[in-house]
Amino acid sequence: MANTLLWYIPNQSRPGHRGDDVVDGHNSLDHLTEHAHALEATGWDGALLGTSWGRPDTFTVATALAARTTTFRPLVAIRPGYWRPAHFASSAATLDHLSGGRLLVNIVSGQDDLAAYGDAEGDQAHRYGRTREFLQIVRRLWAGEEVTFEGEHWQVRGSRLGLPPVTPPRLYFGGASDAAQRVAAAEADVQLFWGEPLDGVAERISRLRDLEQQLGREHAPLEFGLRITTVVRDTTDEAWAAAEEKVAQLAGAAGVERRRPAAVGQQRLLDLAARGEVLDDNLFTTPGTLGAGGAATTWLVGSAQDVAKSLRRYADLGVSHFVLSDTPYLPEIARQGRDLVPLLRD
């Protein structure tokens, strides 16, 4: 069913991310490698490594994990502004070369503590305009061109890579605003969606297909991915009992503060709760009302067969890349690798 099945590795500065097990050395190379080896052993293609200022540097972690694995593919989240385009193109080409063509890249343009690393926020149009130029320069350098580029946000002169990538890494991209969708339709390889219901994803895909035509996309057709939490147990009842227990823990967490998120896509997820607690048979919207965010805002809940059926319905819409996760991360790699991944590979 799936072209790419990825998990999530929590390269965090503090342990216990989203209810993960708190262990000594949670962000040590040995512990993170244990995650990567478990993914290789249970049929996953690789894992997303997220980015934000203050956590261990994502690109460094990915490089270390690639050196200790053979098939594991890191989906490395990076931010234009933290990186300059030619510098990133060179670093990514080097890692892709050293790993034998295993690198995947997730471009992030959302808000962060930019001032901490010397960047400026700018308005939404500025951020996404800069991202589009960034992707244009990177693509041309990866293609082996000598690039001179005079844009509004970036300039390079006579830039060429001495060592090209084995194959140009796939460029994943997120964002639901109009500005973000226009960048994805023109320059990304894979548009990632959060865990929206089927009708929302179908609407987004239709809109992006229209934008591809309007903008005169010059690359292969855009592909689509889903980033979501999957709560899987042996039976449907056991899965819902586990989900309710997790929700009770969220509800009891101290200091939960609900704020309207700045990101359009995140607000779309939170608005789903008004449509119902459970959508599309087993898309659980309650976590987002209790402080869960990002991929944890909505959950697909059920037996492996239930969740596989739901993911197949997304595949029927055109989704071919899946980034799944649940906590505790390491045991769930094994459980879902054993029970869910074979159903998705079938």
Side-chain angles (χ1 to χ4, degrees):
M1 181 199 80
N3 288 344
T4 308
L5 278 176
L6 303 172
W7 190 252
Y8 176 83
I9 289 181
N11 58 315
Q12 302 286 333
S13 57
R14 296 180 180 178
H17 181 252
R18 291 182 178 159
D20 195 16
D21 290 335
V22 176
V23 299
D24 291 337
H26 73 282
N27 61 359
S28 68
L29 180 54
D30 284 344
H31 186 65
L32 295 175
T33 301
E34 188 177 0
H35 286 242
H37 284 165
L39 289 162
E40 288 187 317
T42 51
W44 299 91
D45 294 310
L48 170 65
L49 300 168
T51 185
S52 62
W53 183 251
R55 72 168 73 182
D57 178 70
T58 307
F59 209 85
T60 305
V61 172
T63 302
L65 293 180
R68 287 197 170 191
T69 54
T70 55
T71 63
F72 170 80
R73 304 195 71 182
L75 173 56
V76 182
I78 68 102
R79 292 178 180 274
Y82 182 92
W83 291 88
R84 299 185 68 83
H87 179 205
F88 171 72
S90 175
S91 296
T94 301
L95 177 52
D96 191 71
H97 171 79
L98 293 175
S99 67
R102 287 187 275 145
L103 179 63
L104 303 169
V105 174
N106 181 30
I107 302 293
V108 180
S109 292
Q111 294 180 327
D112 191 18
D113 188 5
L114 305 185
Y117 53 84
D119 196 13
E121 180 62 53
D123 59 18
Q124 186 186 72
H126 170 89
R127 283 190 289 117
Y128 284 105
R130 182 174 73 167
T131 296
R132 184 169 185 175
E133 289 185 6
F134 184 97
L135 294 175
Q136 290 170 342
I137 294 169
V138 167
R139 279 188 177 278
R140 290 178 60 187
L141 288 169
W142 283 347
E145 295 183 33
E146 181 175 307
V147 179
T148 293
F149 186 97
E150 295 288 340
E152 179 181 353
H153 308 280
W154 304 106
Q155 298 81 39
V156 297
R157 294 179 181 273
S159 184
R160 182 192 291 274
L161 297 184
L163 182 70
V166 175
T167 56
R170 308 299 301 281
L171 294 166
Y172 290 65
F173 189 78
S177 67
D178 182 65
Q181 290 184 96
R182 294 179 73 85
V183 172
E187 299 297 342
D189 293 312
V190 180
Q191 167 73 48
L192 279 176
F193 304 126
W194 294 120
E196 295 191 40
L198 294 161
D199 59 0
V201 170
E203 172 195 344
R204 296 277 307 281
I205 289 175
S206 177
R207 166 67 173 154
L208 286 160
R209 289 291 185 225
D210 288 344
L211 281 173
E212 285 184 281
Q213 297 297 318
Q214 294 174 24
L215 299 174
R217 179 180 173 88
E218 298 177 353
H219 313 298
L222 185 65
E223 298 177 18
F224 305 104
L226 182 71
R227 172 73 183 102
I228 193 169
T229 291
T230 46
V231 180
V232 175
R233 296 294 185 272
D234 290 343
T235 69
T236 302
D237 289 345
E238 289 173 354
W240 280 105
E244 293 291 354
E245 182 179 354
K246 288 172 179 282
V247 160
Q249 292 170 354
L250 279 173
V256 172
E257 179 184 357
R258 301 305 298 140
R259 294 176 294 173
R260 182 178 178 87
V264 173
Q266 186 63 55
Q267 185 58 49
R268 284 171 65 100
L269 291 186
L270 294 179
D271 291 343
L272 293 175
R275 292 176 50 181
E277 187 176 41
V278 180
L279 305 175
D280 293 342
D281 297 334
N282 62 339
L283 183 67
F284 197 22
T285 66
T286 300
T289 69
L290 298 171
T297 309
T298 57
W299 304 345
L300 282 175
V301 180
S303 67
Q305 291 77 14
D306 296 334
V307 173
K309 179 181 178 181
S310 296
L311 294 175
R312 286 181 183 278
R313 293 170 75 183
Y314 286 102
D316 289 341
L317 296 177
V319 175
S320 57
H321 301 257
F322 295 86
V323 186
L324 312 179
S325 65
D326 191 20
T327 56
Y329 292 109
L330 189 54
E332 287 301 318
I333 289 171
R335 183 206 304 272
Q336 297 194 32
R338 179 193 67 220
D339 297 339
L340 180 60
V341 167
L343 299 178
L344 303 178
R345 297 293 192 195
D346 188 4

